[in-house]
Amino acid sequence: MREKIEKLGAQFREEMSSVSDVQSLEDLRLKFMSKKGYISELMKELGKVPPEEKKDVGQMINSFKSEITSRFEEKKDEIIRLQEQILIQSAESYDESLPTDTLTGSFHPITLVQRQLEDIFESMGFDVEDYNEIVDDYHCFEALNIPPFHPARDMQDTYYLNTPNQLLKSHTSAAQNAIMIKYGRRLKEEGRPIRAVFPGRCFRNEAIDACHENTFFQMEGIMIDKDISISNLIYFMKTMLSEVFEREVTVRLRPGFFPFVEPGFELDIQCLICGGDGCPSCKNSGWLELCPCGMIHPNVLRAGGINTEENPYEYTGFAFGLGLTRLAMMKYEVGDIRTFNDCDLSALSQFVSR
Ligand code: PHE
């Protein structure tokens, strides 16, 4: 028995010395230490050893076991250190004196437009809010005056999760209810108007082409107070768009239907390329559709706890849903929406600005 243990010890040391990667180290450990390994075999045989020798042999097995464990740990550290060393040596050397500009990358064009808009709206007293990408049916539709089976849902088919009642938000309007609830008390108790913008990623079940993506960005904005009117909406939109495009823009409103605004509009800007004369970019109309908007529907204000049943018109407000992706396409003259999600650095890194 003693001889057997010594022989196994020698075998272990020899095999250990030729191990050079973590996997074969693990295999070796299992060969000795697993349930069917040599150590278990020795333990079984210990039963047959004459009683006077049992203690000594038992001790031998135990010290062999701890030798295996400690050698195993040592070897593992050694292999990892060695592998790191090899990685460091094979890594490309880099020149510390290179300007960092060439190494740090750039912001995504949508991030650039988003940040620019956030700055503009913050300067006009708006809070910038963040919101979930996974929402429930109530926030995405019902709280926005879109009951189940309403035909307006067809326009916003999205992706539903396996978890009941969870979906990827199809528009940033899904955050309206939460923002109203968050700021409603402040509005009523302190008289501070609600002014908030909330950018976010939106999803729709779309066939993808140069103008349509299943994943895109919007920036929603709402303002609620006493006596807010369409004039306020037009003023804010015009000021904001003039800043984004860095020149005076002309806007017009056309009627547009969205169940959560009444009246609802499509806001167009006069084409910046032809100045309204008509060109291919504006399909010869002289106008570009940019931002759906409108006065928040009384049912939505009620669902958000802003107005009561008894006093349904105490507060009024406007909402707009700016297509951030759309805006980025216009601002940077990007012809194909897919460019933004393609992760093609040669396209995306052209918009460098930090
Ligand atoms: N949520 C609407 C959409 O994505 C846009 C919108 C927002 C319309 C706010 C009116 C007011 O289609």
Side-chain angles (χ1 to χ4, degrees), residues 156 171 173 204 218 220 258 260-261 292-294 319-321:
Q156 302 212 2
H171 53 173
S173 307
R204 286 195 201 169
Q218 290 186 337
E220 187 94 356
F258 305 93
F260 36 95
V261 283
C293 53
F320 58 86

Side-chain angles (χ1 to χ4, degrees), residues 248-264:
E248 185 79 11
V249 297
T250 311
V251 302
R252 74 171 184 190
L253 294 182
R254 285 179 295 120
F257 175 70
F258 305 93
F260 36 95
V261 283
E262 181 57 41

